[in-house]
């Protein structure tokens, strides 16, 4: 008996499983694109709110501004935009919203939200990796990553 069939069958099985995964990823991507197009205007208005909330969430956490334990969900869906902006301005002090420090906070906030479904210890481990990755990126790469993260994150807040 030749080795060819013994190797070929597992190889074909493996290839089929990769194709199934890419099809699932494609379906998810198509669904996200459908959501974006269906809710384009709402998504466009939500993105800056989510970005500000992400920055405030991490800034507050790092600097212990005493704003209480606001979750990102509360900051994004319940807090008035003017109040959100005021709290962010207070937390950042003289820093601009587009400063590297603010972008770093935004990345931390966004990834923290996206990792919420993980157990606490696993989330903590992943956030440590996120912090290391942030430190290795240029400002332009951080801005690009933050924009992509917020764009994706905003989809989950569409109503």
């Amino acid at each position: 008996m030749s080795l060819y069939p013994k190797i070929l069958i597992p190889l074909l099985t493996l290839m089929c499983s990769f194709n199934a995964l890419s099809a699932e990823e494609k379906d998810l991507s198509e669904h996200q694109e459908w959501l974006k197009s269906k809710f384009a205007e709402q998504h466009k208005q939500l993105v800056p709110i989510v970005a500000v909330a992400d920055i405030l969430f991490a800034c507050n956490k790092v600097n212990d501004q005493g704003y209480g334990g606001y979750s990102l969900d509360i900051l994004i869906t319940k807090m008035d935009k003017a109040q959100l902006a005021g709290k962010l301005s207070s937390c950042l002090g003289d820093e601009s919203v587009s400063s590297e420090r603010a972008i770093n906070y935004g990345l931390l906030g966004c990834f923290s939200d996206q990792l919420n479904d993980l157990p606490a210890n696993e989330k903590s481990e992943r956030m440590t990796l996120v912090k290391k990755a942030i430190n290795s990126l240029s400002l332009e790469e951080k801005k690009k990553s933050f924009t992509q993260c917020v764009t994706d994150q905003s989809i989950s807040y569409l109503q």
Side-chain angles (χ1 to χ4, degrees), residues 18-54:
F18 283 138
N19 286 340
L21 285 176
S22 68
E24 287 174 14
E25 289 171 355
K26 184 179 177 187
D27 287 346
L28 180 60
S29 176
E30 287 174 359
H31 179 69
Q32 286 181 327
E33 288 304 316
W34 174 81
L35 280 174
K36 280 185 198 176
S37 66
K38 181 166 175 57
F39 298 102
E41 189 57 37
Q42 185 183 5
H43 185 258
K44 185 178 172 181
Q45 292 175 4
L46 191 57
V47 167
I49 295 168
V50 172
V52 168
D54 283 336

Side-chain angles (χ1 to χ4, degrees), residues 132-150:
K132 286 180 184 177
I134 289 170
N135 290 333
S136 69
L137 296 174
S138 70
L139 179 57
E140 287 308 310
E141 290 170 319
K142 290 175 185 183
K143 287 179 179 179
K144 188 174 180 181
S145 296
F146 183 48
T147 299
Q148 184 61 54
C149 189
V150 168

Side-chain angles (χ1 to χ4, degrees), residues 19-150:
N19 286 340
L21 285 176
S22 68
E24 287 174 14
E25 289 171 355
K26 184 179 177 187
D27 287 346
L28 180 60
S29 176
E30 287 174 359
H31 179 69
Q32 286 181 327
E33 288 304 316
W34 174 81
L35 280 174
K36 280 185 198 176
S37 66
K38 181 166 175 57
F39 298 102
E41 189 57 37
Q42 185 183 5
H43 185 258
K44 185 178 172 181
Q45 292 175 4
L46 191 57
V47 167
I49 295 168
V50 172
V52 168
D54 283 336
I55 297 169
L56 175 59
F57 177 79
C59 182
N60 184 46
K61 195 170 186 177
V62 169
N63 297 311
D64 192 23
Q65 293 291 308
Y67 297 140
Y70 290 123
S71 68
L72 272 166
D73 182 56
I74 296 296
L75 293 174
I76 294 167
T77 62
K78 305 276 190 244
M79 190 172 283
D80 176 71
K81 287 189 263 186
Q83 186 181 14
L84 187 64
K87 288 185 182 300
L88 178 60
S89 178
S90 175
C91 192
L92 287 177
D94 293 337
E95 293 275 339
S96 160
V97 176
S98 59
S99 71
E100 187 164 10
R101 188 167 151 230
I103 300 299
N104 289 348
Y105 287 145
L107 283 165
L108 290 173
C110 189
F111 280 100
S112 177
D113 193 36
Q114 294 202 1
L115 298 173
N116 264 346
D117 293 338
L118 297 176
N121 61 334
E122 192 174 339
K123 180 179 178 179
S124 177
E125 289 171 9
R126 296 246 181 119
M127 286 304 294
T128 299
L129 294 174
V130 166
K131 289 173 188 173
K132 286 180 184 177
I134 289 170
N135 290 333
S136 69
L137 296 174
S138 70
L139 179 57
E140 287 308 310
E141 290 170 319
K142 290 175 185 183
K143 287 179 179 179
K144 188 174 180 181
S145 296
F146 183 48
T147 299
Q148 184 61 54
C149 189
V150 168

